[in-house]
Amino acid sequence: MFERTEILAKIANQVAERKAILAAGSSCGLVAKCAVLGGADMLVVYSTGLSRLMGLPTSRIGDSNARTLELASEVRNVVSSVPVIGGIEAWDPLRLDLDALLDKFWSAGFSGVINYPTISTMGDKWRYRRGRVGLGFEREVEMIAAARKKDIFSLAYVASPDDAKAMAGAGADCIVPHVGATRGGLVGHEEGQPIQEAIRRINDISDAARSVRSDVILLCHGGAIAEPEDTIVVYRSTQCVGFVGASSIERIPIERAVKAAAEEFKAVPLPRHH
């Protein structure tokens, strides 16, 4: 397990050495192990990652919190050198006690939390409906605030400047502008905003977050930011010091590698004596 201050110190050291932070989505032991071997600074476990590993578009499947808690043992069994961050569905109506939920995630082996699945990306209509019954984005803000009180490291996905201000005020250590579903691969979202529009949104969100707290750490995620070369452009044009990769780590590379391996094996001809 990693204490919040320890994680923050590691991030500060990496940035001081001009090394970008990588938070790698890892929803199975093999991906987690390989991501750490590749240099990931932390792992992020999402229940939605299971849909990616099932060959499906990123989707919320079943009891999100229960699924994520179950994944902790598999990932932690093969990884102990970096913090593992758990995705919490804060608006889960079956788990209204956020303090108890955070305790479960910590006990399972998660050294930090992130608000995912998040309502922030689901559109105004859905947000309004959930908010009316007290199970909207405000629950995600409450969860991050509760994590800060417990001194648990946190990342916060946000999709707007107002959300960024709320999360910064709640004490999120890292604000992650979420600029849309990741494009690319077999089930990615090919249509979407160009990267320059993503950069504009990131800057608006970043400015809002830092208007509340100057010490907030900014990481990027989603949309047109799918490949390493995309992050080069983002780092040059924003205040982001790292990348949170989900499909970019645990879906697209697997699709490419398995397809290429199958093609190579299939391309080997049998000798004539067969």
Side-chain angles (χ1 to χ4, degrees), residues 56-268:
L56 303 170
T58 300
S59 306
R60 181 188 174 283
I61 296 177
D63 186 333
S64 178
N65 286 319
R67 290 287 185 101
T68 304
L69 287 166
E70 288 171 3
L71 286 168
S73 59
E74 178 178 340
V75 172
R76 293 266 291 141
N77 186 51
V78 294
V79 170
S80 60
S81 59
V82 302
V84 182
I85 312 303
I88 292 184
E89 183 184 277
W91 32 280
D92 180 351
L94 299 179
R95 296 172 178 86
L96 295 177
D97 187 335
L98 291 175
D99 281 324
L101 185 57
L102 284 164
D103 290 343
K104 284 185 179 180
F105 270 73
W106 181 266
S107 297
F110 290 114
S111 295
V113 296
I114 186 169
N115 58 320
Y116 201 82
T118 176
I119 288 179
S120 66
T121 60
M122 294 184 181
D124 292 340
K125 186 175 182 179
W126 182 246
R127 287 184 60 153
Y128 173 73
R129 285 180 174 178
R130 299 291 298 189
R132 284 193 64 187
V133 295
L135 294 171
F137 185 71
E138 69 277 3
R139 289 283 291 173
E140 299 181 30
V141 177
E142 289 171 17
M143 185 271 288
I144 294 297
R148 184 59 182 264
K149 286 181 181 178
K150 291 177 177 290
D151 208 26
I152 297 174
F153 176 77
S154 65
L155 297 90
Y157 276 130
V158 296
S160 73
D162 286 343
D163 289 350
K165 288 180 180 180
M167 284 299 194
D173 294 302
C174 298
I175 295 292
V176 186
H178 192 306
V179 292
T182 304
R183 67 176 62 172
L186 301 178
V187 291
H189 294 249
E190 292 305 324
E191 295 183 5
Q193 62 190 348
I195 195 162
Q196 290 304 322
E197 173 60 17
I199 287 171
R200 184 195 66 77
R201 286 186 60 195
I202 289 170
N203 283 330
D204 286 347
I205 290 170
S206 300
D207 290 344
R210 287 204 162 160
S211 72
V212 176
R213 275 190 27 243
S214 61
D215 65 335
V216 73
I217 299 162
L218 295 159
L219 308 175
C220 58
H221 172 81
I225 313 166
E227 305 287 344
E229 54 265 30
D230 300 325
T231 65
I232 295 173
V233 180
V234 173
Y235 297 152
R236 288 175 178 171
S237 307
T238 73
Q239 302 174 70
C240 291
V241 296
F243 174 64
V244 179
S247 290
S248 297
I249 296 290
E250 66 179 357
R251 175 175 63 81
I252 296 171
I254 294 174
E255 292 171 353
R256 290 172 179 165
V258 174
K259 180 174 177 289
E263 289 172 344
E264 289 181 23
F265 277 109
K266 185 62 179 176
V268 176

